[in-house]
Amino acid sequence: VQLQASGGGLVQAGESLRLSCAATGFTLGYYHIGWFRQAPGKDREGVLCLSVPGISAYYVDSAKGRFTISRDDAANTVYLQMNDLKPEDTAVYYCAVQRYHCSRRAAAYNHWGQGTQVTVSS
């Protein structure tokens, strides 16, 4: 069971990034998928989650209207499309999965990707 996150980088405020989280060894469609982020000196926070039926749950108000989560079952990959990025979005972003339900709590997830750095300059 492995999750591989990628797609981070350095962008300017207002630009977009698409993060990917590719799964190997299991089928993503059977899991609830969360995206988390951790900024320097801060706790890891849940950003949003995609449930097995395909319903998105947002845990950060500032992500609403800017971030979209989607899943490609053929590629066994989940994506986080981030538009209109802001300096406060700077963080390491992680994908994670669990079998039971979407949650904003990191402790609820039992499989994690390695994280990808997103840096937004002003």
Side-chain angles (χ1 to χ4, degrees):
V1 175
Q2 188 174 9
L3 292 169
Q4 180 74 35
S6 62
L10 172 62
V11 297
Q12 293 187 335
E15 294 184 339
S16 299
L17 278 175
R18 188 178 78 159
L19 307 184
S20 300
C21 179
T24 55
F26 67 103
T27 301
L28 264 181
Y30 296 153
Y31 288 78
H32 306 283
I33 306 157
W35 280 100
F36 290 76
R37 67 186 182 186
Q38 188 165 18
K42 295 189 176 181
D43 293 336
R44 190 170 299 188
E45 67 171 350
V47 179
L48 73 168
C49 177
L50 183 68
S51 68
V52 170
I55 299 171
S56 299
Y58 286 83
Y59 304 127
V60 175
D61 286 342
S62 65
K64 296 176 183 178
R66 298 190 300 126
F67 292 7
T68 304
I69 187 171
S70 61
R71 190 181 69 220
D72 184 335
D73 290 336
N76 210 27
T77 299
V78 65
Y79 302 100
L80 179 63
Q81 178 67 43
M82 304 187 295
N83 299 326
D84 190 23
L85 282 161
K86 304 178 185 301
E88 51 264 40
D89 295 318
T90 295
V92 178
Y93 283 72
Y94 299 88
C95 56
V97 298
Q98 60 145 308
R99 292 298 300 268
Y100 302 107
H101 55 78
C102 276
S103 172
R104 67 174 68 235
R105 296 172 52 247
Y109 295 77
N110 50 6
H111 296 295
W112 288 81
Q114 84 285 8
T116 184
Q117 176 71 47
V118 172
T119 303
V120 184
S121 64
S122 57

